[in-house]
Amino acid sequence: MSKFIAFDVFGTLIKMNRTLNPYARLLKVGHGDQRRDFMTQNKSIQQFCNELGLGHMTTVIERELQGELNALTLFDDVQDTLHRLRRDGKRIALCSNLAQAYGDAVKLLLPGMDAYIFSYEVGAKKPEPAIYQRVCDALECQARDVTFIGDSPRADVEGPKNFGMKSKHLNRKSGITLSDLI
């Protein structure tokens, strides 16, 4: 296993136990497909509501978002795996496509990582090369030195591999655990 590990977040380390999709709701009543903007712009949900002409919905959307955030939990194998990797001297980054509102929640559930690379801060999302470069920059290493682990074949396996990283697919639905991959 590489000295440098990058993990996807949702579906890999964190479970979404309550999916209300507040951003999807904005898309349904807003103008066109703004999903990329949600994940690549460092803006609050209120700012997006206002930009879409939906300021009147801000309270409802924020409440749905908070309900979703409050229900986030770690998968059972995460704490032990991260502890073991740390004990073995591994440097760990989190790399995730997410909107700004999720960033603080992720950091609260997974504190003390060596780096947090979130699409809304980078202005690019997986599988775009810029986000993988940010992982390497944050960990101060080369792409070939990183193993990327995640649940999305395109964003967490093919994207990192095309960038020059090693990658592993975590398919929890088939019973694979982090320990199986590490």
Side-chain angles (χ1 to χ4, degrees):
M1 179 62 59
S2 302
K3 178 181 177 186
F4 304 96
I5 312 293
F7 287 103
D8 169 54
V9 174
F10 293 105
T12 302
L13 303 178
I14 295 177
K15 285 191 271 188
M16 284 196 115
N17 296 304
R18 185 175 182 202
T19 306
L20 298 172
N21 291 321
Y23 287 93
R25 182 174 160 103
L26 285 179
L27 291 176
K28 286 180 185 174
V29 294
H31 318 311
D33 185 6
Q34 299 288 322
R35 185 164 309 155
R36 179 173 169 72
D37 292 343
F38 295 150
M39 288 194 276
T40 61
Q41 293 184 31
N42 196 354
K43 295 181 181 180
S44 69
I45 194 92
Q46 181 177 6
Q47 288 172 301
F48 281 120
C49 286
N50 291 338
E51 286 177 9
L52 293 169
L54 302 170
H56 63 283
M57 291 183 64
T58 300
T59 302
V60 171
I61 299 296
E62 285 177 338
R63 186 173 42 246
E64 289 176 358
L65 177 63
Q66 196 56 54
E68 198 170 83
L69 295 173
N70 290 341
L72 298 176
T73 59
L74 297 178
F75 284 98
D76 293 337
D77 58 350
V78 170
Q79 290 292 15
D80 288 341
T81 301
L82 293 176
H83 176 73
R84 187 170 27 139
L85 290 171
R86 286 275 195 217
R87 185 190 66 223
D88 293 345
K90 308 296 185 188
R91 300 214 39 227
I92 302 169
L94 303 184
C95 180
S96 188
N97 291 343
L98 48 84
Q100 179 201 52
Y102 297 91
D104 288 340
V106 169
K107 289 178 182 179
L108 282 172
L109 282 169
L110 294 162
M113 299 294 112
D114 294 298
Y116 298 89
I117 295 87
F118 298 144
S119 60
Y120 73 88
E121 294 174 324
V122 176
K125 63 182 186 174
K126 300 179 293 181
E128 295 172 30
I131 198 162
Y132 306 119
Q133 182 61 55
R134 188 69 68 92
V135 169
C136 294
D137 294 345
L139 293 176
E140 299 176 337
C141 66
Q142 299 297 311
R144 68 179 175 270
D145 301 324
V146 179
T147 298
F148 200 106
I149 298 172
D151 67 319
S152 167
R154 183 171 179 256
D156 303 326
V157 178
E158 293 169 21
K161 191 175 286 186
N162 291 339
F163 190 72
M165 296 175 169
K166 298 171 214 68
S167 60
K168 295 186 178 192
H169 184 225
L170 177 63
N171 185 349
R172 289 189 178 277
K173 292 178 182 172
S174 70
I176 296 173
T177 66
L178 284 176
S179 294
D180 296 333
L181 298 181
I182 306 293

